[in-house]
Amino acid sequence: MSQSLPVGKSPFVQLLLVVAYAAAGLFIFQFFSLAIVFAISGLEFEQFMTDMSNPIGQPEFKNYMLFVQFLPSLVSFIVIPLLFIYKNEGRPVFSDLKFNELNIPSVFIAVGLTICLIIVDSVVIEWNMNIQFPEPFHTWASDKEEAMKVLTEYLTDFSSPMYFLAAFVTIAIVPAIGEELLFRGLIQKYLWFITKNPHVAIWLTAIFFSAFHIQFFGFVPRMLLGAFFGYLYYFSGNLIYAMLGHFVNNGLTVLMLYLYQNNWVSYDIENTDSIPLETVVIFAIIGIGLFVLYAKQFKNRLAYE
């Protein structure tokens, strides 16, 4: 399939607009979600801000923190991109989601590819975690990484099945749909219009995708994931496959944590022990084969040509 730009629209301006709208949505609805939580908390403002800035050790604040994560992401990554497609591009909002073109073999291949990449990426994760950046940047990045780790552990302490479902939606489903709509569906497309090279567009988007998360000790593995999602979309011309890969990557982690916390599985996915190199090599070989097979499934359906 071929992508077309609406008449009179500059891809560079469109790129700036969609990024600006998404950033503004994050900023505005972060405050809006905090205002909602403050209204229902019943706390004095000073006490509320103190507790929200350091919620660790307060289980009752997990629902509030999860909501503050959920609402801005829902608006910025799903609502705003869909409105942008409708208003600025004048096309059906779900035109990149081709449910009628899904086929079972390709779905299984995409899932298998994602699992292979998760295992292979573990080597890159370990390498990236041990990078020594120049000071004082290294100390700042380490402190931020540690704070993010503590917050993640706090939010993924699943105290009930209902909380697990809410966390699963917030951590796995909303990012899988929204981040793919924004990054692969819009940003990657406009970068292709600008560069005229799909591979440059995919990797530039992947770099931007990783930088957006502001976690430098996971920058490279997240960039590889972003490029992988980009190629899932590029070869199929169907954004659902990129969303599926993103969902498997996030959802599998959340699900395994929940199962481990309930003693239903013995494997701790947060275990930092290295995966044996021979296992990584085997999954890398399988992944390469699956990737070639995936690309062959979609002859003449490239997202950009």
Side-chain angles (χ1 to χ4, degrees), residues 51-220:
D51 291 344
M52 287 297 288
S53 63
N54 186 25
I56 311 303
Q58 303 182 72
E60 67 277 9
F61 264 76
K62 283 200 298 183
N63 292 328
Y64 296 156
M65 294 297 294
L66 202 62
F67 180 73
V68 171
Q69 300 280 327
F70 169 78
L71 185 60
S73 296
L74 177 69
V75 173
S76 300
F77 299 137
I78 297 181
V79 176
I80 288 177
L82 290 178
L83 286 174
F84 190 89
I85 290 170
Y86 177 74
K87 297 291 290 184
N88 282 50
E89 297 192 348
R91 60 187 175 95
V93 292
F94 300 115
S95 56
D96 288 332
L97 309 180
K98 300 175 177 61
F99 291 97
N100 61 319
E101 294 182 9
L102 285 176
N103 64 80
I104 298 301
S106 297
V107 167
F108 278 107
I109 292 171
V111 171
L113 263 172
T114 306
I115 293 172
C116 287
L117 182 63
I118 290 171
I119 293 171
V120 174
D121 217 17
S122 65
V123 176
V124 185
I125 291 172
E126 185 176 4
W127 166 78
N128 201 164
M129 285 176 60
N130 293 305
I131 286 180
Q132 291 294 315
F133 295 105
E135 292 290 358
F137 177 80
H138 186 90
T139 300
W140 173 82
S142 296
D143 291 344
K144 189 179 185 312
E145 196 83 13
E146 182 61 28
M148 183 62 69
K149 178 183 176 183
V150 171
L151 179 61
T152 301
E153 290 174 351
Y154 171 73
L155 291 176
T156 54
D157 180 13
F158 305 118
S159 51
S160 70
M162 287 304 298
Y163 179 78
F164 163 71
L165 289 175
F168 192 82
V169 170
T170 303
I171 299 171
I173 296 178
V174 171
I177 297 172
E179 291 183 8
E180 294 312 305
L181 274 173
L182 177 63
F183 286 97
R184 257 57 67 176
L186 290 171
I187 292 174
Q188 181 172 294
K189 178 181 68 176
Y190 290 129
L191 285 172
W192 173 72
F193 278 123
I194 293 168
T195 65
K196 302 301 181 184
N197 187 314
H199 306 290
V200 172
I202 287 169
W203 284 97
L204 285 178
T205 304
I207 292 170
F208 184 40
F209 170 74
S210 188
F212 163 78
H213 290 82
I214 321 178
Q215 289 178 268
F216 296 96
F217 289 96
F219 185 92
V220 177

Side-chain angles (χ1 to χ4, degrees), residues 20-59:
Y21 290 156
L26 273 178
F27 182 77
I28 293 169
F29 279 87
Q30 188 85 37
F31 281 97
F32 186 62
S33 61
L34 283 170
I36 294 174
V37 168
F38 171 64
I40 64 178
S41 70
L43 296 173
E44 295 293 331
F45 181 74
E46 186 176 348
Q47 183 63 49
F48 172 77
M49 293 306 295
T50 299
D51 291 344
M52 287 297 288
S53 63
N54 186 25
I56 311 303
Q58 303 182 72

